[in-house]
Amino acid sequence: MEKLTSPGVTRAVLTRYGIRARKKYGQNFLTDGRIVRGIVEAAGITKEDCVLEIGPGIGTMTQVLSEAAGTVVCVEIDETLRPVLSQTLEDCDNVEILWQDILKTDLKELSDRFNNGMPLKVVANLPYYVTTPILLRLLEDKGRFESITVMVQKEVAERICAGPGSKEYGALSLAVQYYSSPQVVLKVPPACFMPRPAVESAVLHLQAYEEPPVDADEEFMFALIRASFNQRRKTLANGLSHGFRCRDRVLTRGEAEAALQALGLPPDIRGEKLSLEQFAALSRELERE
Ligand code: SAM
């Protein structure tokens, strides 16, 4: 089967199989060979690796992954792509396709079945309508994935990589940075897709941590983080006194201000100024009380 990495071949394949990109599944097919190879290179795929590709689409990146990896397991929700994938991947003996929703996939069963329970590498041009739930599901399943290299909307990449004090910084930045170290490895214009998305894109590489970078009770710390960013305009102490609840614990404004003082932070500081380390320290301080 010819390589799909050009607009001409992609268009011909879509026409031959009567495929219309389905918006409801976030289908924007990659057509640029340099970008596809760039993603696979950034993921550092070798023949030792078992790769999970989320949403193979018509198989453009799958063909390249099949050459680079030991095994490729694809999870695709759209069964109308069966005929095209059976042709575009006909020479790819190391590719397995599971026709299901990645958000409902048993990830432990998948790594047990295809990689003896060892960590997988994830590579994907993600459907943008479910980027955040997919990323959080993969990251929260600690130890299951060694790295995640994915195309996302540029703004999402910026939010994920943002640091304290910037307007992009928020609960998503802290959640991803707790589980992994994120890096933007490629910027990708709309012209590299068919159909062209309305937004710019970027490829993110998330290298998963073996151990979290900070010491805190996860549930407690993320309840603090959510309460801080739910009410971004309020001071942190005010936000926590209105929005924090974890295992039946709530906080008064006085308790929150006292904890901030113990950490040497001003009582009127906003959540968006605190680093992950400071949220962890605040969590330990409040839990001690
Ligand atoms: N990998 C292909 C490429 O780069 O050309 C297609 C990428 S397209 C942006 C997203 C793909 O994810 C589509 O094939 C879509 O059908 C699939 N998809 C959407 N939602 C999904 C879900 N919940 N679970 C699995 N696949 C999904």
Side-chain angles (χ1 to χ4, degrees):
M1 173 67 204
E2 74 263 68
K3 294 280 178 277
L4 290 158
T5 42
S6 83
V9 179
T10 303
R11 191 172 298 109
V13 168
L14 293 178
T15 308
R16 192 181 313 146
Y17 288 90
I19 293 169
R20 296 175 130 232
R22 298 172 87 178
K23 258 198 180 159
K24 76 164 181 171
Y25 289 142
Q27 291 178 350
N28 297 95
F29 303 115
L30 267 169
T31 58
D32 188 314
R34 277 171 315 160
I35 300 292
V36 173
R37 287 187 295 277
I39 297 172
V40 177
E41 241 165 64
I45 303 301
T46 72
K47 283 286 167 195
E48 306 294 303
D49 291 320
C50 177
V51 174
L52 165 61
E53 186 190 8
I54 299 163
I58 59 170
T60 311
M61 192 145 64
T62 324
Q63 290 180 336
V64 179
L65 284 169
S66 168
E67 281 173 10
T71 313
V72 184
V73 185
C74 300
V75 175
E76 173 59 65
I77 200 169
D78 182 4
E79 294 214 35
T80 66
L81 298 170
R82 260 181 203 276
V84 60
L85 278 181
S86 70
Q87 198 209 338
T88 58
L89 302 180
E90 65 181 349
D91 302 328
C92 303
D93 296 337
N94 59 349
V95 175
E96 183 89 26
I97 302 174
L98 309 177
W99 296 97
Q100 57 201 56
D101 182 343
I102 188 65
L103 292 173
K104 295 185 184 147
T105 298
D106 181 341
L107 300 171
K108 177 177 179 333
E109 196 267 330
L110 191 144
S111 83
D112 286 348
R113 187 161 137 214
F114 294 99
N115 206 29
N116 297 320
M118 302 292 284
L120 304 152
K121 289 183 178 172
V122 177
V123 180
N125 169 17
L126 286 179
Y128 293 173
Y129 76 107
V130 275
T131 299
T132 305
I134 291 177
L135 284 181
L136 292 180
R137 181 147 198 263
L138 299 175
L139 288 166
E140 285 167 4
D141 199 343
K142 276 183 256 155
R144 187 85 52 223
F145 303 103
E146 187 180 328
S147 64
I148 300 174
T149 310
V150 283
M151 179 87 72
V152 298
Q153 195 175 323
K154 190 179 106 210
E155 285 71 22
V156 174
E158 286 167 354
R159 278 166 52 207
I160 284 175
C161 295
S166 67
K167 71 176 189 329
E168 291 81 14
Y169 186 59
L172 180 63
S173 331
L174 286 156
V176 175
Q177 292 171 27
Y178 178 75
Y179 296 108
S180 69
S181 103
Q183 199 193 346
V184 172
V185 290
L186 285 173
K187 300 240 170 94
V188 186
C192 296
F193 302 85
M194 194 177 287
R196 295 181 181 194
V199 293
E200 301 273 323
S201 302
V203 177
L204 265 183
H205 178 74
L206 311 178
Q207 190 64 43
Y209 291 129
E210 283 182 18
E211 294 293 331
V214 297
D215 172 28
D217 175 322
E218 252 171 59
E219 190 188 352
F220 197 92
M221 182 179 74
F222 280 109
L224 285 178
I225 290 172
R226 276 194 302 276
S228 314
F229 287 99
N230 269 347
Q231 306 190 326
R232 233 185 142 97
R233 283 153 167 261
K234 291 192 171 158
T235 65
L236 178 58
N238 208 352
L240 293 183
S241 67
H242 284 93
F244 175 83
R245 176 179 280 274
C246 179
R247 302 188 287 258
D248 284 339
R249 172 96 188 267
V250 291
L251 293 170
T252 65
R253 187 171 163 157
E255 281 176 306
E257 284 178 352
L260 288 170
Q261 195 181 21
L263 299 178
L265 295 169
D268 60 350
I269 196 166
R270 289 178 197 278
E272 66 204 32
K273 297 279 184 212
L274 264 65
S275 65
L276 178 62
E277 290 73 16
Q278 287 170 318
F279 271 111
L282 183 62
S283 173
R284 291 193 299 271
E285 182 65 31
L286 284 165
E287 265 194 298
R288 271 192 316 120
E289 286 167 14

